[in-house]
Amino acid sequence: MNPLFPDNYSEPVIGLVMFLVTLFVIGKLLVPRIQKTLAERADAIDGGMMRAEEARAEARNLERQYRERLEVARRDAALLREEAREQGAQIGAELRAQAQAQARHLIGTAHAQIEADRQAAFAQLRPEIGRLSTDLAGRVIGESLEVDVRDTGIVERFLDELDNRTVS
């Protein structure tokens, strides 16, 4: 038996036919299914990569928008702080001006009240000063001067002159 030239040709022919049938079944049925599955997997992988790249691009875009909005918000906050500072300074200046006006008014009122109290006190003390001056002068001289002083108005004239000197 020679393996290159067998005695029985049916076995190699059947083997060849079986090989061709198997090759045909594999080529027509299995290979397309395998290729389809591989193509689907390749599409899924490529699509997944594409979707991942799109997601990355979208994430970058969202991050950029977020940073822009954040910067705008920071600028707005800075403007609001500056406006608040200016308004605070303006309100402070207004309050100081009001306080100074009130202080001037109170000081003026106090001066007027002090002057009125001084004049009222002087008016109350004026007769007493005249009586005490007359009593003192009478003791110094040794005679009572009340009637003479009251009749001539010497003490009143003296106090008027004294009052005119302090006013001038």
Side-chain angles (χ1 to χ4, degrees), residues 13-150:
V13 171
I14 292 176
L16 182 63
V17 169
M18 290 307 280
F19 175 74
L20 290 176
V21 168
T22 305
L23 187 63
F24 178 76
V25 167
I26 289 175
K28 289 292 181 182
L29 297 176
L30 292 178
V31 170
R33 286 184 185 171
I34 291 171
Q35 286 179 343
K36 181 181 173 187
T37 304
L38 289 175
E40 287 174 359
R41 285 185 182 175
D43 285 343
I45 291 170
D46 290 343
M49 292 173 85
M50 193 180 305
R51 284 190 302 276
E53 188 58 40
E54 288 173 0
R56 275 191 223 114
E58 182 68 22
R60 278 185 246 130
N61 188 29
L62 289 174
E63 181 183 16
R64 183 186 51 79
Q65 289 175 357
Y66 167 76
R67 290 185 189 278
E68 288 173 359
R69 288 181 184 161
L70 184 62
E71 185 61 33
V72 168
R74 284 182 180 153
R75 276 186 262 139
D76 290 346
L79 287 174
L80 287 175
R81 278 193 307 269
E82 187 61 33
E83 287 176 9
R85 243 184 248 124
E86 289 173 2
Q87 287 177 353
Q90 182 180 7
I91 290 170
E94 289 173 2
L95 289 176
R96 274 191 297 278
Q98 287 177 355
Q100 288 173 350
Q102 285 178 349
R104 283 191 299 271
H105 176 71
L106 288 175
I107 289 171
T109 303
H111 283 299
Q113 183 65 38
I114 290 170
E115 182 61 27
D117 289 347
R118 185 186 71 79
Q119 288 185 3
F122 188 69
Q124 285 178 350
L125 291 176
R126 191 174 192 152
E128 186 68 23
I129 291 172
R131 190 185 59 76
L132 289 173
S133 298
T134 306
D135 285 347
L136 182 61
R139 285 186 185 163
V140 168
I141 295 175
E143 294 181 21
S144 175
L145 299 175
E146 278 186 38
V147 176
D148 293 337
V149 170
R150 204 175 325 136

